[in-house]
Amino acid sequence: MNENTEHLAPSPSPSPSAAAVDPRLDLAAAIALAGRTLAAVRPDQYDAPTPCEEFDVRRLSSHLVAVARRIAVIGRGEDPFSVPSFADELPDGAWAAAWEPAAAEALAVWADPEVLGRELRVPAGVMPGAAAALVYAHEFTVHTWDLARATGQRPEWDQALAERALTVLQRVLPAGIRDGRVPFGEVVAVEADAPAIDRLVAWAGRRP
């Protein structure tokens, strides 16, 4: 099922464990890994399905570029809906090239430490910048997993980042509300000692 955390209810302030690391570092790491994964997609894979049932590789690649553009707008305190959810103007294969300036702009905007304490508008409402950074670090991490799974890639996951992203997702999306009101599948059961990336995507309704 299509998963998009930015449309969930605004998250409460980050927990102490999640806030122990500057959330901008997690966001930057998630952006970097998404970019490397996107750049490795081959043309023969564009029509391949992804774990997001509504997205093939082409559509997910377009969405990733759009989200990178959107978080720059959000960090500046502007309207997130001024940026479409998909970069539909890009032809096949242009996503990696478009990603570079979008990611650079996002990182430049979020380099300002004051952004963490500002109230920012996201698609679901208003939340502190620190919480928004965590939400988007999660969004990029899970969608990068989707893209990697669809294209046979095996990125080197930052398990500590995945653990923090899981903490955020569990607070924003408890297991008990998977009843059609939100675009997430049921939590998939995994071993308690499974790698953090597996537990993260399982909570988002994917089967690792």
Side-chain angles (χ1 to χ4, degrees), residues 17-197:
S17 60
V21 174
D22 185 332
R24 296 173 303 157
L25 298 178
D26 280 352
L27 179 60
I31 287 173
L33 185 57
R36 293 194 297 272
T37 306
L38 184 61
V41 174
R42 303 190 312 267
D44 64 303
Q45 296 174 322
Y46 295 163
D47 292 321
T50 78
C52 286
E53 294 177 1
E54 298 174 12
F55 290 171
D56 58 12
V57 168
R58 174 183 288 105
R59 199 65 173 155
L60 181 55
S61 299
S62 176
H63 179 60
L64 282 168
V65 172
V67 174
R69 292 170 173 174
R70 178 172 279 180
I71 61 172
V73 168
I74 289 171
R76 289 195 295 266
E78 298 171 0
D79 179 7
F81 292 108
S82 66
V83 178
S85 295
F86 299 92
D88 285 333
E89 83 284 1
L90 297 176
D92 283 359
W95 306 295
W99 174 269
E100 294 300 327
E105 182 180 5
L107 292 174
V109 169
W110 285 84
D112 179 3
E114 292 188 2
V115 74
L116 296 179
R118 295 178 187 143
E119 292 294 310
L120 302 178
R121 296 173 61 194
V122 299
V126 176
M127 66 174 65
L134 289 169
V135 165
Y136 279 99
H138 158 267
E139 171 113 353
F140 278 124
T141 299
V142 174
H143 276 325
T144 297
W145 183 89
D146 290 330
L147 189 63
R149 176 59 63 96
T151 57
Q153 298 184 54
R154 295 182 178 275
E156 184 174 342
W157 301 104
D158 182 332
Q159 297 293 336
L161 187 161
E163 196 76 63
R164 290 188 290 272
L166 176 59
T167 299
V168 172
L169 185 59
Q170 288 174 332
R171 298 179 74 204
V172 174
L173 183 68
I177 65 170
R178 314 299 175 91
D179 59 1
R181 290 177 292 163
V182 294
F184 285 76
E186 296 291 332
V187 174
V188 175
V190 293
E191 296 294 331
D193 61 352
I197 187 63

